[in-house]
Amino acid sequence: MGSVTLLEIRDADGVVVGRHRLANLPLTIGRGSDCDVILDDAQVSGSHARIERDADGAPMLVDAGSRNGVLALESGERVQSLALRPGLRARLGDTVLVFRGPDEVRPSTQAVSLAPKGAFELDAWKAFVLADAAVYAALAVTLLVNSTRPPTAGKILGPPFLLAALALFWGGVWSLVGRLIRRRFHFWGHATVGALGVLAIPVLGVGTEALGFALAAEDAFKVALVLLIAAVGAAMLHQHFRWITPWSPARRAVTALGVVAALGGVAGLIVTADHNRFSTGLPFSRTLEAPELRMRQGRTPAEFFDAARGLDKELQRELAKPR
């Protein structure tokens, strides 16, 4: 077992925020100004833990009577003390302590970039404005393509305003959750993720419909659309979880996929229960696609009328039911 010479401090996102040499022990860790290592973490006590040597001279991490304790990340259990070794990780509040040995490779020095940072970060109001503008454009194009009559200004401008308000509300809800869990808001980031999710619906809808028409595979592309929307939902949840939880990327991904699968199962049950109800809607898109877009022969007229006969029989059965 190698010796421990360095304490590496990471925030809840896994970003290294400080390193300290373990030359002189004991060493106190906490939020108080009198500690040797001061952590800016609301879930860390004033005097949270100590690094000291045991009777044999081996370094130990010891809980100093903190409120939230010391969590050994390998076992996931709260402990009173830990024998230190290179690679050991422990969590104090939202802060992760990583202990390093003298022979571990340090990351190479990065070149300084003179470009301004954060100009187009996801968690910024500029990103939300760009995403919202893209939503406006996508919905306007969708209305123009799918409408059989010239759309009014209200129909073009109304839905985007409503969806922008919905994205802001979505961001507000996630920000409050993040504030309760990790004392952080990330409002513009959550709102931008919501706007991008709204943007994906018309873009994917129009894209899969056009490809389905071109390849004469509408049913297959309907299934593809459902899978793509599920993937977008999982990606949105993964990003939200990144801002409100200290979870690893793998855990965020598994949780997001599990939530989407559960919601998909509930939606499937609702659709199945509603499947037998008679609908006056046409089983095909009202969009008049240009025949030149066809890259593969679709249904022949005979096949079309065969399908129409099935709809006619369903209508006759519905009309024959006693009122």
Side-chain angles (χ1 to χ4, degrees):
M1 181 180 298
S3 61
V4 174
T5 59
L6 188 72
L7 168 61
E8 184 176 275
I9 301 173
R10 300 189 177 193
D11 64 12
D13 294 325
V15 178
V16 177
V17 295
R19 292 187 175 91
H20 295 269
R21 291 182 59 204
L22 302 179
N24 300 315
L25 300 181
L27 180 145
T28 57
I29 304 173
R31 197 153 48 96
S33 58
D34 57 341
C35 291
D36 299 308
V37 178
I38 301 175
L39 303 180
D40 186 15
D41 185 336
Q43 298 185 28
V44 170
S45 300
S47 179
H48 198 108
R50 300 187 308 275
I51 298 178
E52 58 187 33
R53 299 189 184 277
D54 62 10
D56 297 325
M60 303 279 295
L61 176 65
V62 180
D63 188 347
S66 63
R67 179 176 183 179
N68 293 319
V70 175
L71 186 71
L73 291 184
E74 291 183 354
S75 63
E77 297 178 350
R78 181 169 174 169
V79 296
Q80 180 61 35
S81 63
L82 275 173
L84 301 186
R85 54 178 173 75
L88 179 73
R89 296 185 305 151
R91 197 173 95 189
L92 281 58
D94 266 346
T95 303
V96 176
L97 307 182
V98 183
F99 295 91
R100 303 292 188 186
D103 300 327
E104 294 190 61
V105 178
R106 302 286 181 267
S108 58
T109 303
Q110 297 182 356
V112 175
S113 173
L114 298 180
K117 293 184 178 180
F120 295 98
E121 291 180 354
L122 197 61
D123 187 17
W125 67 268
K126 293 181 181 180
F128 176 78
V129 171
L130 288 175
D132 203 39
V135 170
Y136 271 74
L139 290 178
V141 170
T142 302
L143 287 171
L144 291 173
V145 169
N146 288 335
S147 180
T148 56
R149 297 179 181 178
T152 63
K155 287 186 177 181
I156 293 178
L157 297 178
F161 272 113
L162 179 62
L163 293 173
L166 181 62
L168 290 172
F169 175 75
W170 177 271
V173 171
W174 280 102
S175 297
L176 290 176
V177 174
R179 177 63 178 173
L180 291 173
I181 296 177
R182 292 185 60 189
R183 310 294 195 272
R184 299 178 184 179
F185 276 107
H186 295 291
F187 172 75
W188 290 115
H190 290 301
T192 302
V193 170
L196 291 175
V198 170
L199 173 64
I201 295 175
V203 170
L204 293 176
V206 172
T208 53
E209 184 179 356
L211 287 173
F213 177 83
L215 300 175
E218 286 87 349
D219 291 339
F221 276 92
K222 286 180 181 177
V223 175
L225 176 60
V226 172
L227 295 176
L228 288 172
I229 291 178
V232 170
M236 291 174 62
L237 288 176
H238 185 276
Q239 185 60 41
H240 287 312
F241 290 156
R242 177 177 177 270
W243 282 321
I244 70 170
T245 69
W247 297 344
S248 65
R251 185 178 179 184
R252 293 197 299 263
V254 170
T255 305
L257 290 173
V259 171
V260 169
L263 293 177
V266 172
L269 292 175
I270 295 174
V271 171
T272 301
D274 196 53
H275 180 69
N276 294 325
R277 293 182 58 186
F278 180 78
S279 174
T280 57
L282 297 174
F284 50 83
S285 174
R286 295 173 57 206
T287 303
L288 302 179
E289 304 280 5
E292 290 79 12
L293 292 177
R294 281 286 195 191
M295 295 187 293
R296 181 171 174 267
Q297 180 61 42
R299 290 188 296 182
T300 64
E303 291 171 338
F304 176 82
F305 286 112
D306 285 340
R309 289 191 192 97
L311 182 62
D312 181 64
K313 292 179 180 178
E314 184 180 355
L315 177 61
Q316 295 302 325
R317 286 195 301 270
E318 187 70 20
L319 292 175
K321 290 180 179 179
R323 302 296 178 185

